[in-house]
Amino acid sequence: MISALTLNHKLRLQSKFLANSLNLPQAHGKDLLARAIYCTPNYDSLTELLFQEMCGAKIFGTIQHHWLKYLLICECEDELLIDDLHKSIEFMAKRLEGMVVINVNKIRLISILYELFGLGDESKYIIAAPQEFSLEWKPYFKTLNNNEAILYSDFKINQIAYRLIATTFYPKNFRENNFDESLIKNLKQDNEDSELGIAEFPFIEDHKSWFLNSVNFFTNFDSFCDDEVPYVYNIEGKRYAIYGFPLSPSLTEEIDSNLPTLKVSIKNIPEKQVFIFNFDQQRLVLECIHVEAPAMSMISYCEFSNGVKETLLNHKDARKFPIILHQSYFSASIRPFCYMDYLENSI
């Protein structure tokens, strides 16, 4: 096991990082680290606790203290420690927030704490899909000339089923006026006069409206700098724009229960949370935002979550009611990644 002296040096580095991140004197960093992060009265008590725990670790094989054990992250097999930290980090942030007057919102404060423990991806809200994770893409419509023009794939985030819908398009640039012509070409039916063709036609028309409304809502065409240009998603060498939503409960009952699953630590905080999914060097973005609990069967949506409800969640397959996490209500949506997502999550 790593030595007590090395871990003691790590505590000093953490206290400096905390002070610098919050623009506080170095002495304040030590006090805050001891009290807010590791739940000890002061820094001297913290170092004393460390050496006591290291003596006990020779017997138990690891640090037993609930808070100090996180000091071992990045120093040992730490998967279980990281899982536990996801559950505890909001308590750290709340204690830290209560001890200082700082102009930092809760989402940024949690990012700082993840970085304090050396978890760069978590601090930037990057979720890397595990090696065994694989999306299975299937044609959404049966009567198109190009049956790969619209694809869909289902997966789970934690225990909730989501549907991704991929729409192919020709232009190289993600521009507002590029999609109409592309949709007309891609969504032509093979046999529109057949019984199935007639039945699918209104849903194909609905898809055009849903897709264009979703693109316009999630894309800032008015100030379209390079960092805001959405990335295309490649499937079998073809270019797609992908949007996704929580799946309707009626459809969830019909799909395979063994869907590929991503673990995402969504926090019970009011700020919008933006998670970047890495799928084998390709990226999508999950946005979650807290909505007020329903009163008299009416949910109080903010401007953004109401926009999601009126565009993305207007799809016939989408869950119309917010998802429930931590006994709170959240609006959830999946959209294309742009580099600005990485920049904003790194600031």
Side-chain angles (χ1 to χ4, degrees):
M1 177 178 277
I2 192 169
S3 72
L5 289 175
T6 300
L7 291 178
N8 190 43
H9 179 63
K10 188 174 179 179
L11 285 177
R12 289 197 296 271
L13 293 177
Q14 285 185 338
S15 70
K16 290 181 180 179
F17 172 82
L18 193 59
N20 291 338
S21 299
L22 299 176
N23 197 27
L24 297 170
Q26 295 297 318
H28 281 44
K30 286 187 173 182
D31 184 59
L32 290 175
L33 185 76
R35 296 168 58 205
I37 310 305
Y38 293 115
C39 285
T40 55
N42 52 54
Y43 190 78
D44 288 340
S45 299
L46 174 60
T47 56
E48 182 180 344
L49 174 65
L50 171 63
F51 284 95
Q52 289 174 358
E53 286 289 318
M54 289 302 290
C55 290
K58 294 177 182 178
I59 301 171
F60 298 108
T62 187
I63 291 176
Q64 298 294 300
H65 189 271
H66 177 76
W67 300 102
L68 193 61
K69 68 185 180 185
Y70 300 127
L71 191 61
L72 294 177
I73 289 175
C74 297
E75 309 295 345
C76 62
E77 292 292 329
D78 59 5
E79 185 176 350
L80 292 177
L81 283 174
I82 293 172
D83 285 345
D84 202 16
L85 179 65
H86 285 315
K87 302 170 188 174
S88 299
I89 203 162
E90 288 180 69
F91 295 102
M92 294 180 183
K94 187 175 181 179
R95 290 196 297 266
L96 190 58
E97 203 174 30
M99 292 178 188
V100 292
V101 178
I102 48 177
N103 188 25
V104 181
N105 64 30
K106 184 67 72 66
I107 197 76
R108 176 59 187 145
L109 197 55
I110 291 173
S111 294
I112 289 171
L113 293 179
Y114 277 127
E115 197 170 352
L116 177 86
F117 289 104
L119 301 176
D121 279 359
E122 280 81 357
S123 72
K124 299 176 179 65
Y125 298 89
I126 296 173
I127 310 296
Q131 193 169 11
E132 66 275 10
F133 185 95
S134 179
L135 292 171
E136 181 182 359
W137 294 100
K138 302 174 184 177
Y140 191 82
F141 295 111
K142 297 178 181 178
T143 63
L144 297 180
N145 285 336
N146 175 11
N147 65 357
E148 295 181 346
I150 311 296
L151 302 175
Y152 77 96
S153 184
D154 298 330
F155 74 111
K156 284 184 178 179
I157 298 175
N158 303 329
Q159 299 302 314
I160 298 174
Y162 284 71
R163 173 157 290 177
L164 300 175
I165 297 186
T167 302
T168 190
F169 62 97
Y170 294 126
K172 293 182 179 180
N173 297 320
F174 203 103
R175 298 293 181 187
E176 186 173 19
N177 58 1
N178 283 337
F179 291 107
D180 286 328
E181 183 180 352
S182 181
L183 287 172
I184 291 170
K185 290 179 180 178
N186 285 316
L187 298 185
K188 287 183 177 179
Q189 291 178 282
D190 184 31
N191 188 354
E192 60 187 24
D193 294 326
S194 68
E195 184 177 347
L196 182 57
I198 293 171
E200 274 201 336
F201 177 76
F203 297 111
I204 293 171
E205 292 299 300
D206 286 346
H207 177 83
K208 292 178 185 177
S209 298
W210 170 82
F211 176 73
L212 291 173
N213 288 337
S214 297
V215 168
N216 285 319
F217 177 74
F218 285 103
T219 309
N220 186 5
F221 290 109
D222 292 334
S223 60
F224 215 48
C225 67
D226 288 344
D227 291 336
E228 293 178 327
V229 177
Y231 280 44
V232 298
Y233 197 101
N234 288 290
I235 304 172
E236 299 295 330
K238 296 182 179 179
R239 299 158 53 83
Y240 291 86
I242 295 180
Y243 295 87
F245 42 73
L247 198 56
S248 165
S250 61
L251 292 175
T252 301
E253 296 172 0
E254 301 173 6
I255 62 176
D256 182 5
S257 60
N258 282 326
L259 290 176
T261 301
L262 287 180
K263 292 170 62 178
V264 181
S265 181
I266 299 169
K267 309 301 182 187
N268 192 15
I269 55 179
E271 292 93 350
K272 181 167 68 173
Q273 299 170 70
V274 178
F275 298 90
I276 300 169
F277 290 164
N278 277 356
F279 295 128
D280 192 23
Q281 299 183 347
Q282 299 202 85
R283 295 168 177 168
L284 292 172
V285 168
L286 167 71
E287 292 186 329
C288 285
I289 189 165
H290 188 277
V291 295
E292 293 298 325
M296 302 292 290
S297 301
M298 296 294 291
I299 300 168
S300 178
Y301 290 94
C302 66
E303 182 179 358
F304 177 81
S305 58
N306 187 63
V308 173
K309 179 173 73 75
E310 296 298 325
T311 57
L312 187 79
L313 300 183
N314 200 33
H315 195 282
K316 68 182 182 64
D317 296 346
R319 173 186 175 125
K320 302 302 188 286
F321 200 77
I323 61 174
I324 301 174
L325 299 165
H326 316 294
Q327 298 180 330
S328 297
Y329 292 84
F330 289 84
S331 170
S333 54
I334 297 174
R335 59 166 174 80
F337 166 83
C338 63
Y339 192 67
M340 185 62 72
D341 296 313
Y342 182 81
L343 294 177
E344 290 182 347
N345 279 14
S346 300
I347 295 172

